[in-house]
Amino acid sequence: MDEEPLKYIGYSMAKKKWFIVKPANKRSDTYEFLNSGATSLVYYNNASNRVVKIIRGSEYTSNDSLIKKCEKEVAYQSRAADFGLAPKVFHHGFIEKNDSFLYPDDKIPYYYILMESLSENNGWEQVYATENPELFCKFINDLVDKVGIINTEDPHAHFFYNERKDKLLMIDYDRCIDCSDKKQCKIDMTNALGITCLSGGNKKRKTSKKRKTSKKRKTSKKIKNTKKGKSYNRKTTRRKIKLN
């Protein structure tokens, strides 16, 4: 397959689909190939500071399974982005086989996710948990407590840090799962990243000081009733008043 036509792509607002851009026709809004994974291709545009992730439908048994999986990924990432833990998602959608630009000789359907770019030009760099465990422990806390998800399958290479903004973000939410037991989820993700966090990602609680044992109350002294020769408790006994 000729790789040259896939180097640049553009988006048609009128036709609502992506198309191949020849090098001679490259414009400021053209997206250039960045990298690829097992099931996806990524293109970037510096002018808009955006990337588009193209998920190939050939890796799925049906269009419905592709759409369901990708919509779940978008939902996870969008929730995380609301709390400042992921790149913002601007647009997403499914493209049928007949409208696909992928592999001109053997077109296949795909799903695309247009999102914020974490580029080096803007101060982002890829980081790993073992380089700064404390930073990652805080991220795991927020991801579990605020978003309610984790990634324990392949989280290592999906983190980017911006020193100027002092912000850590995670990408690729397609393998995240929902959390039911927050404490266990934090432990599972820290283990997956090869780090240790206090109380499974929680900040260590200060142990409460033991209360001082109160002094025993002095038993009230009994005094003798000189008239009847009986003893009684000054605090608890009351004089009976005879009513006429």
Side-chain angles (χ1 to χ4, degrees):
M1 183 186 72
D2 186 6
E3 295 183 0
E4 184 63 23
L6 291 179
K7 186 174 182 180
Y8 301 107
I9 62 173
Y11 184 76
S12 170
M13 295 295 292
K15 297 181 180 180
K16 297 186 182 302
K17 66 177 184 178
W18 295 86
F19 59 90
I20 297 171
V21 175
K22 294 181 180 179
N25 298 330
K26 182 182 175 183
R27 307 186 314 186
S28 61
D29 60 351
T30 298
Y31 284 73
E32 186 174 350
F33 177 77
L34 180 63
N35 57 47
S36 63
T39 61
S40 62
L41 305 168
V42 179
Y43 291 82
Y44 73 98
N45 178 262
N46 282 331
S48 63
N49 190 39
R50 296 182 179 186
V51 297
V52 58
K53 181 180 179 180
I54 308 289
I55 300 99
R56 297 189 292 263
S58 58
E59 308 298 328
Y60 296 83
T61 56
S62 67
N63 289 345
D64 288 341
S65 61
L66 167 66
I67 294 170
K68 184 178 180 180
K69 181 71 182 294
C70 292
E71 286 182 345
K72 190 174 184 180
E73 177 180 352
V74 169
Y76 282 155
Q77 182 170 333
S78 297
R79 274 160 49 187
D82 288 341
F83 293 101
L85 303 175
K88 294 178 181 178
V89 176
F90 301 111
H91 197 250
H92 60 96
F94 172 71
I95 302 296
E96 294 278 0
K97 178 178 180 179
N98 293 336
D99 293 325
S100 174
F101 73 88
L102 284 175
Y103 312 119
D105 296 333
D106 184 21
K107 291 186 175 183
I108 59 173
Y110 65 87
Y111 199 100
Y112 73 91
I113 306 174
L114 184 65
M115 68 188 83
E116 176 187 4
S117 174
L118 306 182
S119 66
E120 291 184 4
N121 294 336
N122 294 321
W124 294 97
E125 62 175 336
Q126 190 172 14
V127 291
Y128 297 90
T130 52
E131 298 172 353
N132 192 338
E134 185 179 355
L135 180 67
F136 278 75
C137 288
K138 182 182 182 304
F139 181 92
I140 294 170
N141 265 336
D142 290 339
L143 188 66
V144 174
D145 292 336
K146 297 177 181 178
V147 189
I149 60 174
I150 53 169
N151 178 2
T152 58
E153 192 170 339
D154 63 343
H156 299 280
H158 295 154
F159 288 91
F160 287 80
Y161 179 69
N162 190 306
E163 187 175 3
R164 181 173 56 84
K165 297 181 179 180
D166 190 24
K167 184 180 288 187
L168 180 69
L169 301 184
M170 186 174 80
I171 63 171
D172 293 340
Y173 282 73
D174 57 315
R175 294 183 180 178
C176 287
I177 57 173
D178 290 302
C179 284
S180 54
D181 184 336
K182 289 186 176 182
K183 183 177 180 181
Q184 188 60 48
C185 280
K186 292 175 183 180
I187 293 172
D188 291 343
M189 190 159 178
T190 55
N191 288 341
L193 287 168
I195 58 175
T196 301
C197 299
L198 297 175
S199 300
N202 291 318
K203 292 181 180 179
K204 191 175 181 181
R205 281 183 168 183
K206 293 181 179 180
T207 53
S208 55
K209 294 181 180 179
K210 292 183 178 180
R211 293 181 178 179
K212 293 182 179 180
T213 53
S214 56
K215 294 181 180 179
K216 292 183 179 180
R217 292 181 178 178
K218 292 182 180 179
T219 54
S220 56
K221 293 182 179 179
K222 291 183 178 180
I223 59 174
K224 287 185 178 181
N225 186 327
T226 53
K227 291 184 178 179
K228 296 183 179 180
K230 294 181 179 180
S231 61
Y232 66 94
N233 190 309
R234 179 181 290 172
K235 291 185 178 180
T236 57
T237 58
R238 296 179 182 175
R239 292 179 64 190
K240 291 182 180 180
I241 302 175
K242 190 174 182 180
L243 299 175
N244 294 326

